[in-house]
Amino acid sequence: MILIKKAATLRKYLDQHLASGQRVGFVPTMGALHEGHLSLVETAKQTAVITVVSIFVNPTQFNDPEDFHRYPVTIEKDVEMLEGAGADILFLPVTEEIYPDGLKNRETYQLGYLETILEGKSRPGHFQGVCQVMDRLLQIVHPDFVFMGSKDYQQCMVVKTMMELKGFNTQLVTCPIRRELNGLAMSSRNMRLSPEQRDQASTIYKTLCYVRDNIKPGPVEDIRQAALGMLNGKEMRPDYLQIADAISLLPVEYWDGKQPLVILAAAFCGNVRLIDNLLMGR
Ligand code: AMP
């Protein structure tokens, strides 16, 4: 695996080493890697000739500065894991490479209602930051495919919208959620949980399964409230639990028994904010 820190060096390397028709797969990450990230690398390797992984903890997508400062950094272990997974290039830029015009002059994107619901509502400005970093990374890498996790379901929709707005010729491949044995969705933030908190945090997945297994055609507010109650615990408190249309992500109040749904939750375990979701019928 080659480690590249400069955007211009990465672009030059790809231009020199790509034969015509060879496909580039790209896996953007913020590091503190786990098996969920490696599953994206695995899928990228099956799809493309060159797999580029980026590690960049993007300051503009953190609405809470504390969360940014507490974000785990495990770069040596990450490099080892990526070597083991067979990634070809690790792009490790500093902030100035991603934001050459500084952090103040940033583009804004017309994301419509996607920015006002769920993660967009709970984390103002978050998706603008996601678009800013993804826009720049895609301009540098020019990948044929970008691989992202459906754990960040709304983020996938936002990035797809941004790519359409900007006319990127890149296909978004959404990969399934990798989980711990207890059901907890793998996340870099799990490193900040104690063993007991990890155990409690598995309630999020159990709650999503409860909704999937018990939802009936008709009004869904009662089961939504019951699920919100399940997310309350000694160390846990819910941020939201929403039953939404799997395609538009708009909240569903009355389910006809057929409409594909996604059940999404965000909850705090101690001071760590976790998200998860479960698709039904897609
Ligand atoms: P992050 O480093 O948290 O920004 O995540 C980088 C990419 O990995 C994103 O596309 C995430 O959706 C994806 N990802 C994070 N956790 C998981 C997981 N448990 N399973 C699959 N993909 C994941």
Side-chain angles (χ1 to χ4, degrees):
M1 183 174 75
I2 312 169
L3 196 155
I4 297 179
K5 294 189 171 180
K6 300 266 184 212
T9 313
L10 174 58
R11 201 48 260 152
K12 201 164 149 198
Y13 181 91
L14 288 172
D15 287 341
Q16 283 172 352
H17 288 81
L18 274 179
S20 84
Q22 282 191 328
R23 307 286 183 92
V24 175
F26 178 45
V27 181
T29 82
M30 296 205 298
L33 302 181
H34 50 70
E35 275 177 43
H37 295 113
L38 297 189
S39 71
L40 305 186
V41 176
E42 207 174 293
T43 312
K45 280 181 64 68
Q46 287 161 9
T47 319
V49 170
I50 293 189
T51 297
V52 181
V53 179
S54 65
I55 296 182
F56 177 65
V57 185
N58 175 33
T60 72
Q61 73 185 68
F62 286 84
N63 55 312
D64 173 3
E66 276 300 300
D67 189 27
F68 176 58
H69 292 300
R70 283 195 300 246
Y71 202 82
V73 176
T74 59
I75 194 67
E76 279 168 28
K77 187 164 162 258
D78 293 351
V79 169
E80 244 171 64
M81 287 170 82
L82 291 173
E83 292 265 14
D88 299 299
I89 299 174
L90 169 58
F91 181 46
L92 199 61
V94 293
T95 307
E96 290 71 25
E97 287 294 309
I98 299 297
Y99 298 104
D101 300 329
L103 288 172
K104 294 225 163 82
N105 304 306
R106 289 181 277 136
E107 187 163 347
T108 50
Y109 303 81
Q110 297 303 318
L111 301 171
Y113 72 89
L114 270 183
E115 220 183 347
T116 66
I117 58 171
L118 304 164
E119 290 301 286
K121 188 172 173 199
S122 290
R123 304 182 66 191
H126 168 63
F127 285 132
Q128 289 295 327
V130 168
C131 288
Q132 286 148 3
V133 72
M134 284 303 296
D135 189 354
R136 174 75 174 136
L137 287 169
L138 294 175
Q139 283 180 40
I140 297 167
V141 183
H142 300 174
D144 297 281
F145 303 96
V146 60
F147 299 86
M148 302 186 77
S150 62
K151 171 166 174 285
D152 299 279
Y153 194 90
Q154 190 174 5
Q155 172 170 276
C156 289
M157 290 177 66
V158 162
V159 169
K160 198 154 190 285
T161 304
M162 183 279 289
M163 292 198 306
E164 281 162 13
L165 284 171
K166 298 290 302 243
F168 280 108
N169 192 15
T170 298
Q171 189 183 326
L172 173 67
V173 181
T174 307
C175 305
I177 303 174
R178 284 286 174 104
R179 299 181 178 281
E180 305 287 353
L181 280 178
N182 68 6
L184 173 64
M186 288 182 179
S187 163
S188 306
R189 289 188 168 86
N190 293 354
M191 287 179 197
R192 291 175 38 216
L193 300 174
S194 68
E196 298 88 280
Q197 285 176 327
R198 271 179 186 241
D199 206 39
Q200 274 223 14
S202 69
T203 310
I204 302 173
Y205 180 60
K206 288 176 188 132
T207 303
L208 298 176
C209 293
Y210 169 82
V211 176
R212 177 196 61 196
D213 297 341
N214 293 284
I215 192 168
K216 304 226 161 36
V220 303
E221 187 55 17
D222 284 356
I223 193 163
R224 196 180 79 83
Q225 288 299 335
L228 270 172
M230 288 170 72
L231 291 176
N232 263 310
K234 198 164 132 249
E235 297 270 351
M236 299 264 303
R237 76 187 156 85
D239 181 354
Y240 62 75
L241 184 130
Q242 194 56 266
I243 299 167
D245 180 274
I247 293 154
S248 69
L249 214 54
L250 289 170
V252 166
E253 280 160 22
Y254 184 98
W255 186 47
D256 63 5
K258 294 189 214 108
Q259 182 179 14
L261 298 177
V262 58
I263 310 149
L264 308 111
F268 286 92
C269 191
N271 64 3
V272 183
R273 187 172 180 278
L274 302 168
I275 59 169
D276 199 352
N277 69 78
L278 200 58
L279 264 178
M280 272 185 71
R282 246 190 117 185

